[in-house]
Amino acid sequence: SKTEPSRQSRTVPFTNRYQTRAEWADCDPLAQMFYPNYFRWFDIGTHKLLDAGGEPYDRLVETRNIAGLPLVDAQASFRGRVRWTDDVEVESFISRFGGKSFTVTHNIWNDGEIAVEGTEVRIWGLFDPDDHTKLKAGLIPDDFRKTFG
């Protein structure tokens, strides 16, 4: 059952969706999606979200002089299933901003129902000025927050 929206005004975060299909190579011997492949779809969803917001990953790294957006945590909750030949929609949005990290939420929709809910926690990665082989978390710029928040 659906809940009614709050009377308070809520800001919906910038969201991107893309369509994909569970291919044979994505599935286990029972023709069900093999769980690590959901995390691949989450990563693709993050990149497509950045593209749609005008901040493609490669350009983000170059123009903002960052090392990247390293993943520091990833989780998934399996609510339903995805089987071979299922056409699904991956919905991605930034659900939380911290000072130096942000959480990308991913919903994988299959036949109108959420089959998988996932999150990725990423940091605004900077090279450590004292040791360029190490990364550290930097402050996320306000304009990035405004685009995706």
Side-chain angles (χ1 to χ4, degrees), residues 10-149:
R10 263 184 32 178
T11 303
V12 176
F14 183 85
T15 301
N16 189 68
R17 293 177 172 86
Y18 79 92
Q19 307 290 322
T20 192
R21 173 175 260 209
E23 300 293 348
W24 179 253
D26 296 324
C27 296
D28 65 17
L30 297 176
Q32 295 188 72
M33 183 75 163
F34 185 47
Y35 75 91
N37 290 314
Y38 291 116
F39 292 95
R40 182 173 51 88
W41 284 353
F42 296 166
D43 188 65
I44 292 168
T46 296
H47 284 261
K48 288 185 177 287
L49 177 68
L50 294 170
D51 289 351
E55 295 271 9
Y57 195 90
D58 57 340
R59 196 170 72 206
L60 182 75
V61 168
E62 182 181 313
T63 61
R64 294 190 181 259
N65 196 30
I66 62 173
L69 304 172
L71 189 66
V72 296
D73 188 38
Q75 298 182 9
S77 296
F78 304 98
R79 308 282 183 225
R81 65 183 191 175
V82 175
R83 295 179 56 87
W84 177 41
T85 73
D86 285 351
D87 292 310
V88 299
E89 182 176 63
V90 180
E91 172 187 61
S92 303
F93 56 93
I94 297 178
S95 56
R96 188 194 70 76
F97 278 103
K100 298 178 180 185
S101 68
F102 59 95
T103 301
V104 184
T105 293
H106 304 281
N107 294 314
I108 297 177
W109 293 86
N110 188 4
D111 199 25
E113 301 288 329
I114 294 177
V116 180
E117 296 173 315
T119 59
E120 297 177 311
V121 177
R122 293 177 177 266
I123 63 167
W124 192 262
L126 303 175
F127 288 110
D128 185 328
D130 299 326
D131 183 351
H132 283 284
T133 64
K134 295 181 181 176
L135 295 179
K136 66 178 195 167
L139 293 175
I140 300 170
D142 288 339
D143 63 326
F144 185 86
R145 291 170 185 273
K146 278 186 180 179
T147 298
F148 296 102

